[in-house]
């Protein structure tokens, strides 16, 4: 199980996940509740921030808070939907002062 990132040294990554062409949508639908539960756990642990879905583009965008890309991969691997997506991980710039203050309160 990945560890919760140290928010003082954590970095934000934007993950773009695109649905694989060979996705079994029956399996996908069956895991929806498990995915939502795990996202809730990751949010409460401070490992996931924003999460957006673009059904028209078969894509999802997930903000992951981690110390490095290895920890991003470990976090994503805990998601039941992970096997259905190709992912690209983009490190982002450090948080601004307001975001840093919000993270400090979390």
């Amino acid at each position: 199980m990945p560890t919760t990132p140290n928010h003082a040294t954590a970095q934000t990554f934007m993950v773009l996940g695109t649905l694989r062409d060979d996705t079994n949508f029956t399996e996908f639908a069956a895991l929806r509740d498990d995915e939502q539960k795990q996202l809730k756990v990751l949010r409460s642990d401070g490992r996931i921030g924003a999460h957006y879905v673009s059904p028209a583009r078969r894509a999802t965008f997930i903000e992951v808070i981690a110390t490095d890309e290895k920890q991003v991969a470990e976090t994503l691997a805990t998601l039941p939907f992970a096997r259905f997506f190709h992912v690209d991980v983009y490190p982002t710039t450090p948080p601004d002062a307001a975001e840093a203050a919000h993270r400090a309160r979390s």
Side-chain angles (χ1 to χ4, degrees):
M1 178 81 136
T3 59
T4 302
N6 175 341
H7 289 282
T9 60
Q11 181 177 351
T12 300
F13 297 83
M14 185 53 65
V15 176
L16 166 62
T18 52
L19 207 53
R20 295 176 182 271
D21 290 336
D22 63 350
T23 295
N24 178 320
F25 288 100
T26 302
E27 276 184 66
F28 188 86
L31 292 171
R32 186 171 308 280
D33 287 342
D34 293 337
E35 178 80 0
Q36 293 304 312
K37 287 176 189 172
Q38 182 60 12
L39 283 168
K40 186 175 179 178
V41 168
L42 293 172
R43 276 192 197 100
S44 69
D45 286 348
R47 295 188 278 161
I48 293 282
H51 178 229
Y52 300 98
V53 178
S54 174
R57 296 288 180 109
R58 299 171 45 126
T60 187
F61 302 87
I62 303 173
E63 177 187 35
V64 178
I65 299 139
T67 55
D68 55 31
E69 289 192 37
K70 180 177 183 261
Q71 195 174 53
V72 171
E74 290 170 353
T75 296
L76 293 173
T78 70
L79 292 167
F81 282 178
R83 68 176 186 235
F84 300 112
F85 288 90
H86 292 287
V87 297
D88 290 310
V89 177
Y90 300 89
T92 62
T93 58
D96 61 21
E99 178 63 18
H102 171 73
R103 289 184 189 181
R105 288 189 304 269
S106 298

